[in-house]
Amino acid sequence: MGPSLEARALTRRFGSFVAVDRLSLRVEGSKCVGFLGPNGAGKTTTLKMFTDLIFPTDGEAFINGISVQRERKRALSSCGALIESPEIYGSLSPREALELVGALRGMDAREVRSRTDEVLAEVKMSEWADQKVGRFSKGMKQRINIASTLLSDPEVLLLDEPSTGLDPRGMAEVRQIIRALKREGRLIFFSSHILSEVVDVCDEVALLDKGKLLFFDTLSNVSARVSGGGVSVDAEFLSPLSDEVVLREIASVPGVGGWSRLDERRLSLTIVGGAGARSTVLAALASKRLGLVGFHESRSALEDVYLREISVGDSA
Amino acid sequence: MNAPTPTSVTPSEGPPAGSLGSVPVSWSQAVLMSRYQFRDYLRSRRFILMMGIVAAISAILITVVVHFRPAGIIGNSTAFYGTLWTSGVEVLIVFAGVIFGGDAIAGEFQNKTGYFLMGLPVKRWSVYAGKYLAAFAASLVTIGVYLLVLIAFGSTYFGAGALSLDLGASFVLAVLYLSALLGTVFLFSSLFKTSMYGVLIVAVMFLFGFTLINTLLEDLVGIEPWFIVTYADAVIGYPFSGVPHHTTRFAGVTSYAPTYVEGIAIMIGYFLWTTLVGLLLFEREEFT
């Protein structure tokens, strides 16, 4: 059995306000799941219940089948969590802060030292390893927080808007880190309201609004929802393509169900037939020497579904 | 809700993920926590402030003794240590409690340092105990420094051989009082999520509040304030002065002095109930 996260009728009320409303969700296996929703949707509240920072009014959260509410310590032992940009004791250096995390997790000193060097290099903070955290910028602190989350190489990663406070370069690096973390035996569950970030790194998405789960699906299926059963893919070319070339060389490729122009060098293609068809179309386009420089799932598909579902929620 | 049909293939790079290490027992985690928290205290401005207070109290007392040469103090070592140690340490314990413990729990919420720790596989009581131990150790260092200064000063009058067991007994009682006071401070700190409130309430209560209640109860109502923690601090001086009468009446006003047993029981009782209630509050406190 792979790593898993499960919410069973998870509910949290603050007075009469229902922040999370009977959320039931099970995520299992090696994958990256984006937890989407507008501000105030209940994403952070959900993640806080998964880490026992706040307590559910009703329901229960499980990590690897272990109840967080009943066995906090055991449940969190295989989980790395980054919730709400924590602060680290200002007089400690990143190395010392990570030593503390490693020691509390039961890692031996040698292991902590080697992993500390690795994770600090991963978040590009090696040269600051022995400086006091109190002098760091918000972005630098967030990198250390990410490093502390990765230190014990946990099976389950819970990340609450991990790119918060980072500059564009930092945000890109966080995406790169998350992509690199996707591997056999690891489940990454991260909340965000940045759709491009989710499309870049996630395999599945769960959309939450007003505490309710609106949908939970694979990105491919989300994309298919707006492209009539196919998958919407953006294809980018080195130089502009005329409609004639598109019709002759691209629209005729088996698997391409339709196309529209995004601009003179970019097309949105609807590909019917799943991942296999996508692979075939990509190979076909590459072989035609049309100057293909980009081929990725359409970001607008998720955006379309997101806006549609949220607006349905608003009018309900 | 739609059940997802996983279609994407995640890259398989590097070894399979798995949590490294086996999580230590909770007491061990509490000790670990205290080590790092203590290190944080030692490097903090509050420690420098506390050392400044130790220096100021020492300087005032030394100046008074050197300048006025009061016969009642420099006449014998018991009176010397009894007066200077007792009067200084009671104030220092209150300051140390406020400075190291006032925001110990509230600060975890306000400064968001709690988010760094509480997402780890640690029981909440380990964090509480770790922070308590660190505040206790930092406070102990400050009263230890004060004791060393007094011993150094006292040896210029009486020589190093004048130290008696009385001073050791009084030190133990001071440590017991420190543990009770810190328990109370941590309880107040657990009541708030804003450091300022915690520090302010604790400072007001220990510097004025409890003393005022003590006085009112004794002088106006004639009730022995056995339920106030500061009532017990008098026993710190008993090894030097001896145990006074439990009850004295003067000009129609009744004054109480705790017995050894009573004082020690109050301190132990306060440590236990405040720690228990503080822990329960922290266990139920949410990081909203």
Side-chain angles (χ1 to χ4, degrees):
Chain A
M1 197 179 86
S4 68
L5 276 176
E6 187 178 3
R8 286 188 201 158
L10 205 58
T11 303
R12 177 61 208 226
R13 295 186 201 93
F14 293 100
S16 59
F17 174 69
V18 185
V20 178
D21 193 2
R22 294 182 308 255
L23 174 69
S24 288
L25 173 73
R26 182 175 170 81
V27 186
E28 188 176 353
S30 312
K31 61 181 73 160
C32 181
V33 179
F35 196 37
L36 279 172
N39 290 330
K43 304 186 296 291
T44 300
T45 303
T46 303
L47 290 181
K48 282 181 177 179
M49 287 191 281
F50 266 109
T51 44
D52 204 35
L53 289 169
I54 64 174
F55 314 120
T57 313
D58 214 347
E60 215 165 352
F62 296 84
I63 297 174
N64 286 335
I66 303 162
S67 166
V68 175
Q69 281 67 42
R70 279 179 284 170
E71 291 183 84
R72 156 184 233 282
K73 193 172 165 180
R74 203 156 78 87
L76 292 177
S77 64
S78 56
C79 169
L82 169 59
I83 314 285
E84 278 215 355
S85 308
E87 286 290 327
I88 302 165
Y89 296 123
S91 71
L92 298 183
S93 66
R95 196 181 294 286
E96 289 169 326
L98 295 179
E99 265 175 25
L100 170 62
V101 170
L104 289 173
R105 285 189 170 278
M107 297 166 67
D108 75 48
R110 205 168 40 187
E111 203 174 32
V112 172
R113 274 196 297 275
S114 68
R115 279 293 292 162
T116 295
D117 290 338
E118 281 172 40
V119 292
L120 286 178
E122 206 162 348
V123 297
K124 299 189 168 42
M125 287 295 288
S126 297
E127 61 180 301
W128 302 92
D130 298 305
Q131 306 293 316
K132 298 283 172 278
V133 174
R135 296 176 193 149
F136 288 1
S137 69
K138 195 179 172 191
M140 291 164 84
K141 286 178 187 169
Q142 188 69 338
R143 285 166 192 261
I144 303 302
N145 285 325
I146 294 170
S148 80
T149 308
L150 306 179
L151 186 73
S152 66
D153 194 21
E155 281 182 297
V156 177
L157 277 172
L158 292 174
L159 306 172
D160 181 27
E161 298 182 5
S163 49
T164 298
L166 300 177
D167 56 25
R169 187 175 145 197
M171 290 168 84
E173 283 167 3
V174 165
R175 284 199 292 274
Q176 200 179 341
I177 290 167
I178 295 174
R179 270 197 297 270
L181 288 171
K182 288 167 70 173
R183 66 171 65 154
E184 198 58 47
R186 176 174 286 140
L187 171 61
I188 305 169
F189 191 75
F190 90 99
S191 75
S192 178
H193 51 251
I194 305 170
L195 301 183
S196 57
E197 193 171 73
V198 171
V199 170
D200 262 3
V201 298
C202 291
D203 310 302
E204 296 173 5
V205 282
L207 178 63
L208 196 70
D209 188 33
K210 294 174 183 163
K212 285 181 186 292
L213 185 69
L214 299 183
F215 70 79
F216 172 41
D217 216 332
T218 61
L219 264 182
S220 307
N221 286 347
V222 169
S223 184
R225 283 173 179 225
V226 289
S227 52
V231 173
S232 183
V233 168
D234 290 351
E236 188 178 353
F237 298 88
L238 203 55
S239 48
L241 296 179
S242 66
D243 285 357
E244 189 188 343
V245 172
V246 173
L247 283 169
R248 190 181 64 235
E249 302 290 343
I250 299 173
S252 59
V253 172
V256 176
W259 67 279
S260 62
R261 190 176 282 284
L262 296 171
D263 58 41
E264 57 182 10
R265 291 194 302 110
R266 294 190 307 132
L267 303 174
S268 175
L269 307 177
T270 302
I271 299 176
V272 184
R278 255 189 298 167
S279 170
T280 309
V281 171
L282 174 60
L285 293 186
S287 70
K288 286 175 183 283
R289 301 187 180 280
L290 297 169
L292 182 70
V293 291
F295 188 87
H296 53 81
E297 261 183 79
S298 173
R299 291 170 190 200
S300 63
L302 180 60
E303 196 169 326
D304 286 347
V305 174
Y306 179 93
L307 293 173
R308 193 176 65 203
E309 296 285 346
I310 297 294
S311 63
V312 167
D314 286 343
S315 60
Chain B
M1 186 180 79
N2 298 312
T5 319
T7 54
S8 51
V9 177
T10 52
S12 181
E13 299 161 1
S19 309
L20 297 170
S22 162
V23 181
V25 294
S26 297
W27 263 116
S28 170
Q29 288 181 315
V31 173
L32 278 167
M33 274 287 312
S34 70
R35 266 177 39 202
Y36 284 85
Q37 183 70 59
F38 180 62
R39 195 183 295 181
D40 186 52
Y41 280 142
L42 290 188
R43 292 172 180 173
S44 65
R45 282 187 194 146
R46 66 180 79 196
F47 189 74
I48 296 168
L49 171 68
M50 201 57 224
M51 284 296 126
I53 292 171
V54 171
I57 290 175
S58 306
I60 290 167
L61 294 178
I62 290 170
T63 305
V64 167
V65 170
V66 168
H67 185 74
F68 295 104
R69 302 184 61 79
I73 291 179
I74 58 172
N76 63 76
S77 63
T78 303
F80 177 89
Y81 289 115
T83 307
L84 300 190
W85 163 251
T86 310
S87 54
V89 79
E90 286 175 9
V91 178
L92 276 179
I93 287 174
V94 173
F95 274 113
V98 172
I99 289 173
F100 294 123
D103 68 340
I105 301 300
E108 291 295 313
F109 294 92
Q110 185 182 324
N111 306 330
K112 284 192 160 187
T113 45
Y115 287 95
F116 185 70
L117 296 170
M118 299 309 296
L120 297 169
V122 182
K123 288 191 173 167
R124 286 187 176 215
W125 74 257
S126 303
V127 174
Y128 193 94
K131 292 188 76 78
Y132 180 94
L133 288 173
F136 184 81
S139 304
L140 207 56
V141 168
T142 58
I143 64 170
V145 168
Y146 177 65
L147 181 64
L148 289 176
V149 170
L150 274 194
I151 290 173
F153 181 46
S155 65
T156 62
Y157 286 100
F158 312 107
L163 291 175
S164 67
L165 283 176
D166 297 339
L167 189 56
S170 181
F171 181 78
V172 170
L173 289 166
V175 170
L176 192 58
Y177 182 59
L178 171 66
S179 60
L181 184 135
L182 271 178
T184 314
V185 169
F186 267 61
L187 167 62
F188 280 118
S189 191
S190 304
L191 288 170
F192 304 102
K193 284 185 176 173
T194 308
S195 302
M196 185 57 82
Y197 293 148
V199 172
L200 203 64
I201 296 281
V202 163
V204 168
M205 287 308 289
F206 278 96
L207 294 174
F208 316 107
F210 284 137
T211 313
L212 186 67
I213 296 167
N214 240 349
T215 310
L216 290 175
L217 286 171
E218 287 189 60
D219 296 355
L220 297 181
V221 199
I223 293 175
E224 183 187 5
W226 57 266
F227 40 86
I228 305 288
V229 65
T230 48
Y231 175 62
D233 70 1
V235 300
I236 296 172
Y238 289 179
F240 303 104
S241 64
V243 184
H245 290 295
H246 182 56
T247 311
T248 50
R249 283 188 66 81
F250 180 73
V253 174
T254 308
S255 295
Y256 295 93
T259 62
Y260 259 125
V261 173
E262 206 179 6
I264 290 170
I266 291 169
M267 293 193 280
I268 293 174
Y270 251 89
F271 167 71
L272 291 176
W273 86 260
T274 53
T275 303
L276 191 68
V277 175
L279 260 172
L280 285 174
L281 286 172
F282 188 55
E283 287 282 350
R284 296 309 305 160
E285 201 78 74
E286 295 187 301
F287 288 79
T288 48

